Amino acid sequence: MAAGVAVISVRLKGEPTAVVVASEVPVVDDEGQVTAVRCPAAGCGALVDLVDGRIDRHLMLGRECHTSGVPVIVGED
């Protein structure tokens, strides 16, 4: 995923999958594995680590963002 648009698919518990198109390319390691993405939550946009395929715990406006811990699938558009 060296160039292009990233499509981030997030499934929140009890809700349908939300698909977010991110204009920024995710952060990848030497093996091409995605290690961090922009949070797709409205009003957040924090650059957060992916831990075991899940968005790491992070804060939005001083409170834990509701996407913390949700699984993410990252693909190319």
Side-chain angles (χ1 to χ4, degrees):
M1 217 182 273
V5 174
V7 177
I8 303 172
S9 176
V10 179
R11 182 179 300 276
L12 298 175
K13 189 174 182 177
E15 296 181 12
T17 300
V19 176
V20 177
V21 178
S23 59
E24 294 185 40
V25 177
V27 176
V28 295
D29 63 14
D30 293 339
E31 297 174 358
Q33 298 294 317
V34 177
T35 59
V37 295
R38 290 269 173 214
C39 176
C44 185
L47 183 62
V48 291
D49 291 332
L50 291 183
V51 178
D52 296 326
R54 295 178 177 271
I55 293 179
D56 198 14
R57 181 179 179 273
H58 63 286
L59 302 178
M60 178 175 67
L61 302 175
R63 301 182 75 184
E64 185 170 340
C65 182
H66 70 277
T67 63
S68 295
V70 299
V72 173
I73 300 169
V74 179
E76 287 187 38
D77 183 27

